């Protein structure tokens, strides 16, 4: 926040810039309070004993500061299972979505074929189908297919929602890569399969990463289908697990907050590491798509 | 865009023609089984006597539609959804634009602004279930929000934000505003960064002040992004379920009943699967109208 004094053209103008800077800083701090204060309180509450959650007057840090709530979650196999389930489902959804989307995007980007346009229209428009519309038939469908209360049931369901976006983003990414790259390999006698995996995929890593991160986040955060298509506690994911904590005899607020923090860590970490890809991809999607 | 190579030998032409189908086959299979079939099913259900529970449901024509549309709770759900969505989208836009403009300023160093950008994005990184429990704690009658408002001299510190029928809708809308503005902010920030500097210079030369430059340069330049983001947000917010379900469950009574919670309750609390399907089809139609508007707008931009 160094203020450059060397090239100040006149005192009045400099003062005005400083005032503008101060106003901006105040605005930013106000915004940061709005965004961050609730998160800070979540963090603070996760370190309190449950009896101090609503103490009066509230304090950010109390003398009873401890990691007990975290320890209780991480030592309870039933709760650890929520995390395991979320990792399994979100991980599988991410890998499968990327695989299927890369194949489809390759066809959309490099081939002309009948049904290409209608298929494309379907993929774009299914993004607008409300999840609640599919919920009722899914319930019956998953029971019929024997996929109710199973990982594959959830994974396939999530892919319906992650795939369209992934295909659109990957097709856009492949379209920016010169056709000569893969055609050159193919002229040398290699098939399109080789051209895709040896040439296109390795240079598309940034696009693949941003689509992968986004897909993981969607799958990690999903609530409605996880609530409806699983039944037993050992199949529940983190968002449902947090709700289950709320349903028990008394509200363990400190454990709910600790679980919220633990449940947000994967998304926060992914976001921190891939921020640039992610914001770039998101923004370009919104600006261009 | 044509991929046909004149050099391709004829004998592998047939194999090549089939190749793209192999690549799109997994996608097509998934979309047919888990998208087109379920949509056909839900539309079918909506014309039947109570399905799933009833072994041999009869066709009842439009009876379900008449029953849902004339249900006063359905009307309440539409009105609540409209208020919730309109207020959310408007606030997302205003807050997102204000934050994006602050982050786009050149008055502070890029590192300081990047730090603020990280903080501003935070609410968006928490899933709806987490946002819901967090705000249930904050907005509890004994919670910190009431304490702070009381300390500032507003209210008596016992406000029931989520269980007072007159306040609940406003409260869930506020929570949704808090958790959703960053998506607007990111897109608008990218949009702001894409506005050519000479447009501002030209406006300055013409004697336009900061406010005129905002209305005559910034807003027209951002307009396409604003419209597409608003439409997308409208579609997404109207589908919001987890946040409502975990804060108020649509209550007290029907004060925060949305189309999504109304439909969910019909199916999984009242086991009226045919009526729930009917409501789900009506929501689908509504979404399709919005999607058509969105696609048209996108086409016009290209």
């Amino acid at each position: 926040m160094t203020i450059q004094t060397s090239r100040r053209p006149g005192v009045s103008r400099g003062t005005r810039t400083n005032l503008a800077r101060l106003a901006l800083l105040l605005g930013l701090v106000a915004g940061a309070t709005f965004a961050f204060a609730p998160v800070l309180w979540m963090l603070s509450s996760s370190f309190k004993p449950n009896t101090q959650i609503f103490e009066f007057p509230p304090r950010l840090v109390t003398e009873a500061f401890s990691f007990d709530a975290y320890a209780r979650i991480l030592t309870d196999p039933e709760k650890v299972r929520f995390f395991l389930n979320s990792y399994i489902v979100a991980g599988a959804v991410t890998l499968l979505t990327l695989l299927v989307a890369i194949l489809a995007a390759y066809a959309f980007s490099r081939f002309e074929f009948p049904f290409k346009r209608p298929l494309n229209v379907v993929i774009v428009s299914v993004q607008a189908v409300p999840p609640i519309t599919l919920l009722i038939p899914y319930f019956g469908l998953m029971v019929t297919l024997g996929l109710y209360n199973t990982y594959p049931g959830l994974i396939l369901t999530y892919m319906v929602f992650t795939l369209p976006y992934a295909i659109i983003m990957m097709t856009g990414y492949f379209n920016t890569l010169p056709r000569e790259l893969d055609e050159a390999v193919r002229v040398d006698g290699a098939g399109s399969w080789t051209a895709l995996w040896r040439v296109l995929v390795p240079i598309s890593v940034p696009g693949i990463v941003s689509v992968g991160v986004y897909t993981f986040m969607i799958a990690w955060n999903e609530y409605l289908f996880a609530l409806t298509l699983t039944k037993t506690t050992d199949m529940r994911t983190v968002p449902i697990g947090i709700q289950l904590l709320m349903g028990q005899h008394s509200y363990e607020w400190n454990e709910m907050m600790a679980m919220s923090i633990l449940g947000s860590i994967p998304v926060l970490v992914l976001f921190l590491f891939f921020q640039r890809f992610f914001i770039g991809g998101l923004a370009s999607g919104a600006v261009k798509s | 865009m044509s991929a046909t190579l004149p050099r391709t030998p004829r004998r592998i032409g047939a194999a090549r023609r089939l190749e793209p189908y192999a690549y799109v086959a997994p996608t097509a299979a998934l979309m047919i089984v888990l998208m087109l079939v379920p949509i056909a099913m839900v539309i079918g259900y909506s014309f039947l006597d109570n399905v799933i529970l009833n072994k041999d449901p009869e066709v009842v024509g439009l009876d379900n539609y008449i029953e849902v549309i004339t249900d006063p709770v359905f009307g309440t759900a539409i009105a609540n959804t409209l208020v919730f969505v309109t207020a959310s989208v408007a606030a997302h836009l205003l807050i997102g634009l204000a934050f994006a403009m602050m982050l786009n300023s050149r008055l502070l160093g890029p590192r300081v602004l990047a730090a603020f950008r990280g903080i501003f994005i935070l609410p968006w990184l928490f899933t709806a279930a987490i946002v819901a429990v967090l705000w249930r704690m904050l907005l509890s009658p004994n919670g910190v929000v009431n304490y702070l408002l009381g300390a500032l001299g507003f209210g008596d510190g016992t406000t029931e934000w989520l269980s007072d029928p007159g306040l609940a809708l406003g409260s869930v809308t506020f929570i949704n505003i808090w958790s959703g503005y960053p998506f607007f902010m990111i897109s608008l920030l990218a949009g702001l960064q894409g506005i050519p500097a000479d447009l501002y210079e030209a406006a300055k030369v013409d004697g336009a002040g900061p406010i005129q430059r905002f209305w005559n340069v910034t807003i027209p330049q951002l307009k396409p992004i604003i419209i597409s983001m608003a439409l997308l947000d409208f579609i997404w917010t109207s589908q919001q379920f987890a946040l409502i379900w975990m804060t108020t469950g649509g209550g007290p009574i029907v004060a925060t009943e949305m189309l999504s919670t109304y439909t969910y309750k019909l199916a999984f609390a009242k086991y009226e699967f045919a009526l729930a399907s009917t409501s789900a089809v009506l929501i689908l139609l509504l979404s399709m109208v919005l999607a058509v508007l969105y696609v048209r707008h996108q086409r016009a931009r290209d």
Side-chain angles (χ1 to χ4, degrees):
Chain A
M1 269 188 288
T2 47
I3 294 162
Q4 289 186 332
T5 44
S6 50
R7 277 175 295 152
R8 194 189 281 177
V11 177
S12 72
R13 193 156 169 197
T15 318
R16 217 162 62 195
T17 315
N18 281 341
L19 274 177
R21 206 170 270 152
L22 184 70
L24 174 66
L25 206 57
L26 284 176
L28 286 169
V29 170
T33 310
F34 173 69
F36 191 64
V39 181
L40 185 68
W41 202 251
M42 164 158 59
L43 203 61
S44 144
S45 302
S46 72
F47 295 119
K48 290 177 185 170
N50 205 35
T51 47
Q52 284 186 344
I53 293 287
F54 295 122
E55 72 168 353
F56 190 91
R59 285 175 296 168
L60 200 56
V61 181
T62 72
E63 65 289 338
F65 180 96
S66 79
F67 290 92
D68 283 359
Y70 292 89
R72 251 176 293 145
I73 285 172
L74 294 174
T75 53
D76 182 344
E78 196 172 83
K79 284 163 193 160
V80 172
R81 183 70 190 242
F82 299 149
F83 288 92
L84 188 69
N85 289 340
S86 275
Y87 278 108
I88 291 172
V89 171
V93 170
T94 307
L95 289 178
L96 286 171
T97 299
L98 284 176
L99 176 69
V100 175
I102 285 171
L103 295 178
Y106 183 52
F108 281 123
S109 171
R110 294 301 198 255
F111 292 89
E112 286 302 326
F113 53 98
F115 300 115
K116 178 174 169 174
R117 272 198 71 84
L119 196 58
N120 208 352
V121 169
V122 168
I123 286 167
V124 170
S125 52
V126 296
Q127 291 188 110
V129 174
I132 194 96
T133 301
L134 297 174
L135 191 68
I136 297 155
Y138 268 35
F139 185 68
L141 210 57
M142 288 298 165
V143 172
T144 314
L145 295 172
L147 295 175
Y148 179 68
N149 202 37
T150 65
Y151 290 135
L154 272 192
I155 292 165
L156 287 173
T157 303
Y158 290 1
M159 284 179 68
V160 173
F161 296 98
T162 56
L163 206 49
Y165 175 84
I167 292 174
I168 292 165
M169 292 300 286
M170 283 315 302
T171 307
Y173 203 91
F174 285 161
N175 281 342
T176 64
L177 303 172
R179 208 168 266 272
E180 288 73 30
L181 281 176
D182 43 307
E183 299 294 3
V185 184
R186 302 191 56 183
V187 168
D188 289 348
S192 62
W193 183 259
T194 316
L196 170 63
W197 293 104
R198 288 279 167 80
V199 181
L200 279 184
V201 168
I203 48 177
S204 306
V205 168
I208 293 172
V209 168
S210 76
V211 172
V213 172
Y214 191 75
T215 304
F216 187 92
M217 281 176 64
I218 302 267
W220 184 268
N221 290 340
E222 206 285 327
Y223 176 84
L224 181 63
F225 287 94
L227 178 69
T228 319
L229 299 183
T230 63
K231 183 177 61 183
T232 52
T233 315
D234 64 324
M235 285 305 297
R236 298 297 203 180
T237 56
V238 172
I240 312 300
I242 291 170
Q243 192 196 14
L244 291 179
L245 282 181
M246 225 163 43
Q248 286 162 8
H249 16 274
S250 65
Y251 285 12
E252 298 289 342
W253 288 104
N254 56 349
E255 280 188 44
M256 283 196 267
M257 292 307 124
M259 195 148 161
S260 299
I261 303 271
L262 292 171
S264 305
I265 284 175
V267 172
L268 291 172
V269 167
L270 281 175
F271 189 79
L272 206 65
F273 278 102
F274 299 110
Q275 209 186 131
R276 188 163 303 169
F277 284 134
F278 195 59
I279 292 184
L282 202 68
S284 66
V287 176
K288 285 189 219 121
S289 70
Chain B
M1 283 292 260
S2 169
T4 43
L5 285 177
R7 285 167 294 181
T8 312
R10 224 185 205 173
R11 58 197 165 78
I12 64 166
R16 254 209 103 171
R17 269 202 303 278
L18 289 174
E19 256 184 331
Y21 294 106
Y23 286 118
V24 296
T27 303
L30 196 77
M31 285 300 153
I32 290 168
V33 176
L34 287 180
M35 184 58 78
L36 301 183
V37 168
I39 290 178
M41 282 167 75
V42 77
I43 294 173
Y45 287 171
S46 73
F47 293 110
L48 294 175
D49 185 15
N50 202 5
V51 279
I52 299 182
L53 292 185
N54 195 339
K55 283 264 185 275
D56 295 299
E58 284 172 39
V59 178
V60 293
L62 289 173
D63 285 6
N64 292 326
Y65 285 87
I66 293 164
E67 189 168 345
V68 168
I69 289 168
T70 54
D71 181 356
V73 182
F74 183 73
T76 311
I78 287 188
N80 286 343
T81 307
L82 261 178
V83 171
F84 176 72
V85 173
T86 314
S88 293
V89 173
H92 284 162
L93 169 63
L94 287 178
I95 297 173
L97 183 60
F99 284 12
M101 289 192 66
M102 290 198 288
L103 293 176
N104 193 43
S105 157
R106 291 200 196 100
L107 288 169
L108 292 170
R111 284 219 184 129
V112 180
L113 292 175
F116 275 108
R117 189 185 66 188
I119 294 172
F120 289 174
I121 287 173
L122 259 186
W124 190 60
L125 299 178
F126 295 100
T127 181
I130 290 173
V131 170
V133 288
L134 170 61
W135 282 93
R136 275 182 72 152
M137 182 181 74
L138 298 172
L139 292 177
S140 149
N142 311 316
V144 69
V145 169
N146 270 349
Y147 170 78
L148 289 175
L149 288 176
L152 293 169
F154 300 106
D156 54 1
T158 57
T159 313
E160 304 255 2
W161 294 102
L162 291 168
S163 43
D164 180 330
L167 294 173
L169 185 59
S171 301
V172 292
T173 308
F174 178 84
I175 299 172
N176 189 58
I177 290 168
W178 180 80
S179 73
Y181 74 83
F183 191 61
F184 258 89
M185 183 189 80
I186 296 170
S187 305
L188 290 174
L189 183 58
L192 283 172
Q193 285 164 348
I195 300 176
D198 36 319
L199 284 180
Y200 287 106
E201 291 304 322
K204 238 180 192 171
V205 170
D206 292 344
I211 294 167
Q212 280 169 305
R213 287 200 297 268
F214 174 77
W215 286 111
N216 296 326
V217 180
T218 312
I219 290 296
Q221 287 288 310
L222 289 182
K223 204 173 145 198
I225 303 177
I226 291 176
I227 295 177
S228 40
M229 291 303 298
L231 282 168
L232 270 183
D233 198 26
F234 207 94
I235 294 173
W236 288 334
T237 309
S238 63
Q239 297 170 358
Q240 180 60 264
F241 171 80
L243 188 72
I244 311 290
W245 191 245
M246 286 188 65
T247 46
T248 62
I253 313 170
V254 291
T256 58
E257 198 76 276
M258 303 285 161
L259 285 171
S260 59
T261 54
Y262 172 78
T263 310
Y264 187 86
K265 280 181 188 169
L266 275 180
F268 297 100
K270 297 181 181 158
Y271 303 107
E272 293 278 3
F273 289 103
L275 293 180
S277 299
T278 309
S279 172
V281 171
L282 291 171
I283 297 173
L284 177 67
L285 290 175
L286 220 72
S287 294
M288 285 298 138
V289 171
L290 289 171
V292 167
L293 286 178
Y294 177 74
V295 170
R296 272 208 192 148
H297 175 250
Q298 292 293 0
R299 283 230 184 98
R301 272 173 76 185
D302 300 338

